[in-house]
Amino acid sequence: MTVLSAIWKLLRGLWHVLLGMWTIYVRFPQFTSEQREMRVQAWALKFLALWDIRLQVLGHPVRSGPALMVANHISWLDILVIHAARHCRFVSKSDIREWPLVGTLATGAGTLYIERAKRKDALRMVQDMAEAMKNGDVVAIFPEGTTSDGRELLPFHANLIQAAIQSQAPIQPVSIKFIDGQTGETSFGPCYIGEDTLIGSMWRTLQSKRITAVLHFGEPQSAHGRDRRSWASALRQDIIELRDQ
């Protein structure tokens, strides 16, 4: 991949982001919630295409809410990849709301924000998530709490799993991985971990050979009497198995 090709993809992506912001400010007030969800999904699919990222979906995302999606977390791309397969309301750290461009897109897509520095805010978020799911929304979380390279999943934080128990909503486990479209080997280009910067991760992604984002949706499952900790542990194992299939 030449530098000029990467720059061209970057510019096309930036233009697509600006179009997305225009849609949120000008068109979204006129749209129904269903129309907004369709536009978010179409926008995410287009972004992946502009950056030459292929989407491979295994299994089937839930058709409708209430439901909670639980996924492993590798990259800033994860949210776009899931949105491209099925719109949902992500739970993200409150800092993202203030990020230039990204904050507007995230808020327009229905993101729920949590103050991670405040322990008590998790209780509020559980209530907000439960209420959203009771209203028929599909909510998504990354219970690792941060990104990993995907080879070893971090322990799952169980607090937000309580929202599914409280609202009696099913949980759908989802695995995410990125592979080199030519060799079939794992691609670490999109990783955003450790000392990585967002710009650095984006540039690696742009310079990588064609990447395939693989989403594997498991079967939705109910609590069956499990508390949030035991359910979170079981979900982590389910996602590892989905990833390795």
Side-chain angles (χ1 to χ4, degrees), residues 61-203:
V62 291
R63 294 178 62 88
S64 61
L68 178 64
M69 286 185 178
V70 170
N72 61 308
H73 199 12
I74 297 172
S75 170
W76 55 274
L77 262 178
D78 296 346
I79 291 176
L80 286 176
V81 168
I82 294 177
H83 269 321
R86 208 268 182 232
H87 175 272
C88 50
R89 300 187 67 184
F90 282 93
V91 175
S92 295
K93 59 183 181 180
S94 57
D95 305 24
I96 290 178
R97 181 165 40 196
E98 310 303 325
W99 287 8
L101 304 181
V102 175
T104 298
L105 295 174
T107 301
T111 298
L112 300 167
Y113 294 106
I114 184 171
E115 297 276 354
R116 286 185 178 172
K118 300 178 181 177
R119 284 191 175 183
K120 291 184 178 179
D121 203 48
L123 297 176
R124 177 195 62 81
M125 181 51 61
V126 166
Q127 297 297 326
D128 288 352
M129 290 169 60
E131 190 65 28
M133 287 188 283
K134 287 177 182 177
N135 290 333
D137 288 340
V138 177
V139 179
I141 61 172
F142 300 114
E144 288 174 283
T146 187
T147 51
S148 69
D149 64 10
R151 288 177 291 188
E152 291 292 334
L153 270 64
L154 301 173
F156 277 15
H157 298 286
N159 288 345
L160 299 185
I161 300 296
Q162 184 63 35
I165 296 174
Q166 190 167 311
S167 61
Q168 298 184 331
I171 293 182
Q172 182 169 41
V174 185
S175 77
I176 303 171
K177 64 180 176 182
F178 297 95
I179 61 176
D180 186 302
Q182 293 183 332
T183 67
E185 299 295 323
T186 299
S187 172
F188 298 104
C191 285
Y192 182 32
I193 57 176
E195 300 300 316
D196 283 340
T197 64
L198 181 60
I199 297 299
S201 174
M202 286 183 172
W203 187 246

Side-chain angles (χ1 to χ4, degrees), residues 24-82:
I24 289 169
Y25 284 124
V26 178
R27 302 297 303 280
F28 268 28
Q30 307 162 22
F31 288 164
T32 64
S33 59
E34 292 79 8
Q35 289 172 324
R36 291 181 185 181
E37 291 180 6
M38 290 174 61
R39 283 301 181 96
V40 170
Q41 183 176 2
W43 184 92
L45 278 167
K46 180 66 173 177
F47 186 95
L48 295 181
L50 289 172
W51 277 31
D52 200 25
I53 298 169
R54 178 175 173 260
L55 177 64
Q56 181 181 2
V57 177
L58 305 174
H60 302 281
V62 291
R63 294 178 62 88
S64 61
L68 178 64
M69 286 185 178
V70 170
N72 61 308
H73 199 12
I74 297 172
S75 170
W76 55 274
L77 262 178
D78 296 346
I79 291 176
L80 286 176
V81 168
I82 294 177

